[in-house]
Short mmCIF file of all heavy atoms in Angstrom, two decimals:
data_model
loop_
_atom_site.label_atom_id
_atom_site.label_comp_id
_atom_site.label_asym_id
_atom_site.label_seq_id
_atom_site.Cartn_x
_atom_site.Cartn_y
_atom_site.Cartn_z
N ASN A 372 -1.55 -11.05 35.12
CA ASN A 372 -2.36 -12.28 35.14
C ASN A 372 -2.15 -13.00 36.46
O ASN A 372 -1.60 -14.11 36.52
CB ASN A 372 -1.96 -13.19 33.98
CG ASN A 372 -1.98 -12.48 32.63
OD1 ASN A 372 -3.00 -12.38 31.98
ND2 ASN A 372 -0.80 -11.99 32.20
N PRO A 373 -2.58 -12.38 37.59
CA PRO A 373 -2.21 -12.89 38.92
C PRO A 373 -2.77 -14.27 39.25
O PRO A 373 -2.23 -14.97 40.11
CB PRO A 373 -2.78 -11.83 39.87
CG PRO A 373 -3.90 -11.19 39.11
CD PRO A 373 -3.45 -11.19 37.68
N LYS A 374 -3.84 -14.69 38.60
CA LYS A 374 -4.45 -15.98 38.92
C LYS A 374 -3.96 -17.10 38.02
O LYS A 374 -4.43 -18.24 38.14
CB LYS A 374 -5.97 -15.86 38.83
CG LYS A 374 -6.56 -14.88 39.85
CD LYS A 374 -8.08 -14.82 39.76
CE LYS A 374 -8.64 -13.85 40.79
NZ LYS A 374 -10.13 -13.76 40.70
N LYS A 375 -3.04 -16.78 37.11
CA LYS A 375 -2.56 -17.79 36.18
C LYS A 375 -1.33 -18.49 36.77
O LYS A 375 -0.45 -17.84 37.35
CB LYS A 375 -2.20 -17.18 34.83
CG LYS A 375 -3.31 -16.33 34.22
CD LYS A 375 -4.58 -17.13 33.96
CE LYS A 375 -5.64 -16.25 33.31
NZ LYS A 375 -6.92 -16.96 33.13
N PRO A 376 -1.21 -19.80 36.60
CA PRO A 376 -0.05 -20.53 37.13
C PRO A 376 1.20 -20.26 36.31
O PRO A 376 1.15 -19.74 35.19
CB PRO A 376 -0.48 -22.00 37.00
CG PRO A 376 -1.44 -22.00 35.85
CD PRO A 376 -2.18 -20.69 35.94
N ASP A 377 2.35 -20.62 36.88
CA ASP A 377 3.62 -20.41 36.19
C ASP A 377 3.66 -21.13 34.85
O ASP A 377 4.31 -20.66 33.91
CB ASP A 377 4.78 -20.90 37.07
CG ASP A 377 5.06 -19.95 38.22
OD1 ASP A 377 4.64 -18.77 38.13
OD2 ASP A 377 5.70 -20.37 39.20
N GLU A 378 2.98 -22.29 34.76
CA GLU A 378 2.96 -23.02 33.49
C GLU A 378 2.34 -22.19 32.38
O GLU A 378 2.80 -22.21 31.23
CB GLU A 378 2.19 -24.34 33.65
CG GLU A 378 2.86 -25.36 34.54
CD GLU A 378 2.53 -25.17 36.01
OE1 GLU A 378 1.94 -24.12 36.37
OE2 GLU A 378 2.85 -26.06 36.81
N ALA A 379 1.29 -21.44 32.72
CA ALA A 379 0.63 -20.60 31.72
C ALA A 379 1.52 -19.44 31.30
O ALA A 379 1.61 -19.10 30.12
CB ALA A 379 -0.69 -20.08 32.27
N ILE A 380 2.19 -18.83 32.27
CA ILE A 380 3.07 -17.70 31.96
C ILE A 380 4.24 -18.17 31.10
O ILE A 380 4.61 -17.51 30.12
CB ILE A 380 3.56 -17.05 33.26
CG1 ILE A 380 2.38 -16.36 33.96
CG2 ILE A 380 4.69 -16.05 33.00
CD1 ILE A 380 2.68 -15.81 35.32
N ALA A 381 4.82 -19.32 31.44
CA ALA A 381 5.92 -19.85 30.63
C ALA A 381 5.47 -20.15 29.21
O ALA A 381 6.20 -19.88 28.24
CB ALA A 381 6.49 -21.11 31.29
N ALA A 382 4.26 -20.69 29.07
CA ALA A 382 3.74 -21.01 27.73
C ALA A 382 3.52 -19.74 26.92
O ALA A 382 3.79 -19.70 25.71
CB ALA A 382 2.44 -21.80 27.86
N ALA A 383 3.04 -18.68 27.57
CA ALA A 383 2.81 -17.41 26.87
C ALA A 383 4.12 -16.79 26.42
O ALA A 383 4.25 -16.31 25.28
CB ALA A 383 2.05 -16.44 27.77
N ILE A 384 5.11 -16.79 27.30
CA ILE A 384 6.42 -16.22 26.95
C ILE A 384 7.03 -16.98 25.79
O ILE A 384 7.62 -16.40 24.87
CB ILE A 384 7.35 -16.21 28.17
CG1 ILE A 384 6.84 -15.20 29.21
CG2 ILE A 384 8.79 -15.88 27.77
CD1 ILE A 384 7.62 -15.19 30.51
N TYR A 385 6.90 -18.30 25.81
CA TYR A 385 7.45 -19.11 24.71
C TYR A 385 6.80 -18.72 23.38
O TYR A 385 7.49 -18.54 22.38
CB TYR A 385 7.23 -20.59 24.99
CG TYR A 385 7.68 -21.48 23.85
CD1 TYR A 385 9.03 -21.79 23.69
CD2 TYR A 385 6.77 -21.99 22.93
CE1 TYR A 385 9.46 -22.58 22.63
CE2 TYR A 385 7.18 -22.77 21.87
CZ TYR A 385 8.54 -23.08 21.72
OH TYR A 385 8.95 -23.85 20.67
N GLN A 386 5.47 -18.58 23.39
CA GLN A 386 4.79 -18.21 22.14
C GLN A 386 5.22 -16.84 21.64
O GLN A 386 5.44 -16.63 20.44
CB GLN A 386 3.27 -18.22 22.35
CG GLN A 386 2.63 -19.58 22.27
CD GLN A 386 1.17 -19.46 21.87
OE1 GLN A 386 0.84 -18.95 20.80
NE2 GLN A 386 0.29 -19.92 22.74
N VAL A 387 5.34 -15.89 22.56
CA VAL A 387 5.65 -14.51 22.17
C VAL A 387 7.07 -14.39 21.63
O VAL A 387 7.33 -13.62 20.69
CB VAL A 387 5.45 -13.56 23.38
CG1 VAL A 387 6.03 -12.18 23.10
CG2 VAL A 387 3.97 -13.46 23.71
N THR A 388 7.99 -15.13 22.20
CA THR A 388 9.41 -14.97 21.85
C THR A 388 9.90 -16.00 20.83
O THR A 388 11.05 -15.91 20.39
CB THR A 388 10.29 -15.06 23.11
OG1 THR A 388 10.07 -16.33 23.76
CG2 THR A 388 9.94 -13.94 24.08
N CYS A 389 9.05 -16.94 20.45
CA CYS A 389 9.44 -17.94 19.46
C CYS A 389 8.94 -17.49 18.09
O CYS A 389 7.75 -17.54 17.80
CB CYS A 389 8.86 -19.31 19.82
SG CYS A 389 9.31 -20.62 18.67
N THR A 390 9.85 -17.01 17.25
CA THR A 390 9.46 -16.50 15.94
C THR A 390 9.34 -17.65 14.94
O THR A 390 9.94 -18.70 15.10
CB THR A 390 10.48 -15.48 15.41
OG1 THR A 390 11.78 -16.09 15.40
CG2 THR A 390 10.52 -14.26 16.31
N HIS A 391 8.55 -17.41 13.90
CA HIS A 391 8.29 -18.43 12.89
C HIS A 391 8.79 -17.95 11.53
O HIS A 391 8.04 -17.45 10.72
CB HIS A 391 6.79 -18.74 12.82
CG HIS A 391 6.25 -19.35 14.07
ND1 HIS A 391 6.23 -20.69 14.29
CD2 HIS A 391 5.73 -18.78 15.19
CE1 HIS A 391 5.71 -20.96 15.49
NE2 HIS A 391 5.40 -19.80 16.05
N GLY A 392 10.10 -18.08 11.29
CA GLY A 392 10.63 -17.68 10.00
C GLY A 392 11.39 -16.37 10.06
O GLY A 392 11.49 -15.72 11.10
N SER A 393 11.92 -15.96 8.91
CA SER A 393 12.80 -14.79 8.84
C SER A 393 12.07 -13.52 8.39
O SER A 393 12.69 -12.47 8.28
CB SER A 393 13.94 -15.08 7.86
OG SER A 393 13.43 -15.41 6.58
N ASP A 394 10.77 -13.60 8.11
CA ASP A 394 10.02 -12.42 7.68
C ASP A 394 9.60 -11.63 8.91
O ASP A 394 8.62 -11.96 9.57
CB ASP A 394 8.79 -12.85 6.86
CG ASP A 394 8.04 -11.66 6.26
OD1 ASP A 394 8.24 -10.53 6.73
OD2 ASP A 394 7.25 -11.88 5.32
N PHE A 395 10.37 -10.55 9.22
CA PHE A 395 10.07 -9.85 10.47
C PHE A 395 8.75 -9.09 10.41
O PHE A 395 8.14 -8.83 11.44
CB PHE A 395 11.24 -8.94 10.89
CG PHE A 395 11.38 -7.67 10.12
CD1 PHE A 395 10.64 -6.55 10.46
CD2 PHE A 395 12.29 -7.56 9.08
CE1 PHE A 395 10.78 -5.37 9.76
CE2 PHE A 395 12.44 -6.38 8.38
CZ PHE A 395 11.67 -5.29 8.72
N LEU A 396 8.26 -8.74 9.21
CA LEU A 396 6.95 -8.09 9.12
C LEU A 396 5.84 -9.06 9.50
O LEU A 396 4.89 -8.70 10.20
CB LEU A 396 6.72 -7.55 7.72
CG LEU A 396 7.15 -6.11 7.45
CD1 LEU A 396 6.91 -5.74 6.00
CD2 LEU A 396 6.44 -5.14 8.38
N GLU A 397 5.96 -10.30 9.04
CA GLU A 397 4.96 -11.31 9.42
C GLU A 397 5.08 -11.62 10.91
O GLU A 397 4.07 -11.77 11.61
CB GLU A 397 5.17 -12.59 8.59
CG GLU A 397 4.05 -13.61 8.76
CD GLU A 397 2.67 -13.05 8.44
OE1 GLU A 397 2.49 -12.53 7.32
OE2 GLU A 397 1.79 -13.11 9.33
N ASN A 398 6.32 -11.70 11.41
CA ASN A 398 6.51 -11.89 12.85
C ASN A 398 5.92 -10.72 13.63
O ASN A 398 5.32 -10.91 14.70
CB ASN A 398 8.01 -12.00 13.17
CG ASN A 398 8.63 -13.28 12.65
OD1 ASN A 398 7.93 -14.29 12.45
ND2 ASN A 398 9.93 -13.27 12.41
N ASN A 399 6.08 -9.51 13.09
CA ASN A 399 5.57 -8.33 13.76
C ASN A 399 4.04 -8.34 13.81
O ASN A 399 3.44 -7.98 14.83
CB ASN A 399 6.08 -7.07 13.04
CG ASN A 399 5.73 -5.80 13.77
OD1 ASN A 399 4.71 -5.18 13.52
ND2 ASN A 399 6.59 -5.40 14.69
N ARG A 400 3.41 -8.74 12.72
CA ARG A 400 1.94 -8.81 12.70
C ARG A 400 1.44 -9.86 13.69
O ARG A 400 0.46 -9.62 14.40
CB ARG A 400 1.44 -9.12 11.30
CG ARG A 400 -0.09 -9.22 11.23
CD ARG A 400 -0.62 -9.19 9.82
NE ARG A 400 -0.22 -10.32 9.02
CZ ARG A 400 -0.74 -10.60 7.82
NH1 ARG A 400 -1.66 -9.80 7.30
NH2 ARG A 400 -0.32 -11.64 7.14
N ARG A 401 2.13 -10.99 13.74
CA ARG A 401 1.77 -12.05 14.70
C ARG A 401 1.88 -11.53 16.13
O ARG A 401 0.99 -11.74 16.96
CB ARG A 401 2.68 -13.25 14.47
CG ARG A 401 2.48 -14.41 15.45
CD ARG A 401 3.36 -15.59 15.04
NE ARG A 401 3.31 -16.66 16.02
CZ ARG A 401 4.16 -16.75 17.04
NH1 ARG A 401 5.12 -15.85 17.19
NH2 ARG A 401 4.06 -17.75 17.89
N PHE A 402 2.99 -10.83 16.43
CA PHE A 402 3.16 -10.31 17.77
C PHE A 402 2.11 -9.26 18.10
O PHE A 402 1.60 -9.21 19.23
CB PHE A 402 4.57 -9.70 17.92
CG PHE A 402 4.73 -8.90 19.19
CD1 PHE A 402 4.82 -9.53 20.41
CD2 PHE A 402 4.76 -7.51 19.15
CE1 PHE A 402 4.94 -8.80 21.58
CE2 PHE A 402 4.89 -6.78 20.31
CZ PHE A 402 4.98 -7.42 21.53
N HIS A 403 1.80 -8.39 17.14
CA HIS A 403 0.81 -7.35 17.40
C HIS A 403 -0.54 -7.96 17.77
O HIS A 403 -1.27 -7.41 18.62
CB HIS A 403 0.65 -6.44 16.18
CG HIS A 403 -0.20 -5.24 16.44
ND1 HIS A 403 0.24 -4.14 17.14
CD2 HIS A 403 -1.50 -4.99 16.13
CE1 HIS A 403 -0.73 -3.25 17.24
NE2 HIS A 403 -1.80 -3.73 16.63
N LYS A 404 -0.86 -9.08 17.18
CA LYS A 404 -2.11 -9.76 17.53
C LYS A 404 -2.06 -10.25 18.97
O LYS A 404 -3.05 -10.16 19.71
CB LYS A 404 -2.37 -10.92 16.56
CG LYS A 404 -3.73 -11.56 16.73
CD LYS A 404 -4.02 -12.55 15.62
CE LYS A 404 -5.38 -13.22 15.79
NZ LYS A 404 -6.48 -12.23 15.74
N PHE A 405 -0.92 -10.77 19.39
CA PHE A 405 -0.75 -11.15 20.79
C PHE A 405 -0.95 -9.93 21.70
O PHE A 405 -1.58 -10.01 22.75
CB PHE A 405 0.65 -11.72 21.04
CG PHE A 405 0.88 -13.09 20.48
CD1 PHE A 405 2.14 -13.47 20.06
CD2 PHE A 405 -0.15 -14.02 20.40
CE1 PHE A 405 2.38 -14.74 19.56
CE2 PHE A 405 0.07 -15.30 19.90
CZ PHE A 405 1.34 -15.66 19.47
N LEU A 406 -0.40 -8.81 21.27
CA LEU A 406 -0.44 -7.59 22.08
C LEU A 406 -1.87 -7.09 22.26
O LEU A 406 -2.25 -6.61 23.33
CB LEU A 406 0.43 -6.52 21.42
CG LEU A 406 0.99 -5.38 22.26
CD1 LEU A 406 1.88 -5.92 23.38
CD2 LEU A 406 1.78 -4.43 21.38
N THR A 407 -2.67 -7.19 21.21
CA THR A 407 -4.02 -6.63 21.25
C THR A 407 -5.09 -7.64 21.68
O THR A 407 -6.06 -7.27 22.34
CB THR A 407 -4.40 -6.06 19.87
OG1 THR A 407 -4.28 -7.10 18.89
CG2 THR A 407 -3.51 -4.90 19.50
N ASP A 408 -4.90 -8.91 21.30
CA ASP A 408 -5.94 -9.92 21.54
C ASP A 408 -5.61 -10.89 22.66
O ASP A 408 -6.44 -11.75 23.00
CB ASP A 408 -6.21 -10.73 20.26
CG ASP A 408 -6.71 -9.86 19.12
OD1 ASP A 408 -7.12 -8.71 19.39
OD2 ASP A 408 -6.69 -10.32 17.97
N GLY A 409 -4.41 -10.80 23.21
CA GLY A 409 -4.00 -11.74 24.23
C GLY A 409 -3.36 -12.98 23.61
O GLY A 409 -3.37 -13.17 22.40
N VAL A 410 -2.76 -13.82 24.47
CA VAL A 410 -2.04 -15.01 24.02
C VAL A 410 -2.81 -16.25 24.45
O VAL A 410 -2.98 -16.49 25.66
CB VAL A 410 -0.62 -15.05 24.60
CG1 VAL A 410 0.16 -16.22 24.03
CG2 VAL A 410 0.12 -13.73 24.34
#
Side-chain angles (χ1 to χ4, degrees):
N372 307 276
K374 297 182 179 179
K375 307 300 182 184
D377 285 341
E378 292 85 350
I380 292 174
I384 291 175
Y385 176 79
Q386 279 205 60
V387 169
T388 58
C389 181
T390 56
H391 295 271
S393 58
D394 186 341
F395 76 84
L396 269 178
E397 189 56 56
N398 291 335
N399 187 267
R400 180 166 64 169
R401 176 175 174 269
F402 169 73
H403 188 76
K404 188 171 179 62
F405 287 149
L406 203 60
T407 57
D408 299 345
V410 185

